[in-house]
Amino acid sequence: MTPTLWRRLLAEFTGTALLVTAVVGSGIMAATLSPADVGLQLLENSIATAFALGALILIFGPVSGAHFNPVVSAADWFLGRRAGTGLTARDLGGYVAAQVMGAIAGSVLANLMFDLAAIGFSGKDRTAGHLWLGEVIATAGLILLIFALARSGRAVVAPAAVGAYIGAAYWFTSSTSFANPAVTVGRAFSDTFAGIAPTSVPGFVVAQFVGLAVGVGLLAALYPDAGDAADQVVVPTDGDATINHRS
């Protein structure tokens, strides 16, 4: 049976909170342990994020699909409308709210764990066209990966595949691959290595939704019936694993 909506929303809130805690917390730890080497800091941050994401998908995927990401949830709703699969509009609203609140809670938790002020708005400016382009590429690739796995019946490898993609995208995108509006908002609440200035958030979020449109367009061309598998990105059916999003 499909878990009740409140269980799914709790899973999305908790999973997104723990994801942001991992991103922000590992960034703080990396800056503390390797203060003179930004490249090493990014390596440490990306490895921790990739491993945490894979583990969180395994934990919460059977309950909510472990989206942790409004663009993944929006794609699931959009692609599944015609086939009658995936999230409903009501579910989508609940998922997005849970994800954003969870992301903020995760940032606050990471700050407190490292003895910082619970809320410290980031001063790290990330406003530039090449960074927005990086977000478009990172988000489009993420959407393609998730729904291609669902459509081809390979959802079982999603925890490793999604974690690997996000870990790699830290390095091959200029923006270090936020690829997630909720996580972007959450990271604005921590003035640390992984932070983003609140004034930079709108540009990143717009770029992520452009990436969503690009990813959905490519899916329509490559996998015209991808919407038929949208339920595999929500809850498991017939014993199959479900899949997520990130970062």
Side-chain angles (χ1 to χ4, degrees):
M1 294 178 63
T2 300
T4 58
L5 183 58
W6 76 264
R7 289 194 181 93
R8 291 159 59 194
L9 297 184
L10 177 60
E12 287 296 301
F13 174 88
T14 307
T16 308
L18 291 175
L19 174 60
V20 174
T21 299
V23 173
V24 174
S26 63
I28 297 170
M29 183 65 82
T32 301
L33 297 178
S34 309
D37 192 333
V38 177
L40 186 55
Q41 292 172 13
L42 185 61
L43 178 63
E44 294 161 348
N45 189 210
S46 63
I47 290 173
T49 299
F51 284 159
L53 180 56
L56 291 170
I57 295 171
L58 288 171
I59 295 170
F60 297 104
V63 180
S64 68
H67 294 188
F68 312 148
N69 188 336
V71 295
V72 172
S73 299
D76 188 67
W77 166 76
F78 182 82
L79 291 169
R81 289 179 309 156
R82 185 171 299 177
T85 59
L87 294 177
T88 65
R90 172 173 172 258
D91 291 346
L92 175 61
Y95 267 50
V96 171
Q99 291 156 357
V100 172
M101 290 188 294
I104 295 171
S107 196
V108 170
L109 178 59
N111 289 338
L112 292 174
M113 280 201 301
F114 286 90
D115 198 26
L116 302 175
I119 296 176
F121 292 110
S122 176
K124 187 171 291 188
D125 180 67
R126 299 180 188 261
T127 302
H130 68 283
L131 300 179
W132 300 333
L133 177 59
E135 282 301 286
V136 171
I137 299 302
T139 307
L142 180 64
I143 296 297
L144 273 174
L145 172 62
I146 290 171
F147 287 89
L149 289 175
R151 169 60 184 80
S152 58
R154 295 175 293 164
V156 68
V157 303
V162 175
Y165 175 81
I166 291 301
Y170 261 72
W171 291 90
F172 71 72
T173 64
S174 56
S175 62
T176 66
S177 182
F178 285 49
N180 185 329
V183 168
T184 303
V185 171
R187 287 169 67 164
F189 285 76
S190 183
D191 191 17
T192 58
F193 177 79
I196 178 172
T199 54
S200 298
V201 169
F204 264 53
V205 171
V206 169
Q208 289 155 2
F209 276 95
V210 171
L212 165 63
V214 172
V216 168
L218 287 171
L219 278 169
L222 297 170
Y223 297 93
D225 56 350
D228 294 343
D231 274 344
Q232 294 300 318
V233 194
V234 183
V235 290
T237 59
D238 298 328
D240 291 333
T242 59
I243 59 182
N244 140 299
H245 147 314
R246 202 280 226 307
S247 172

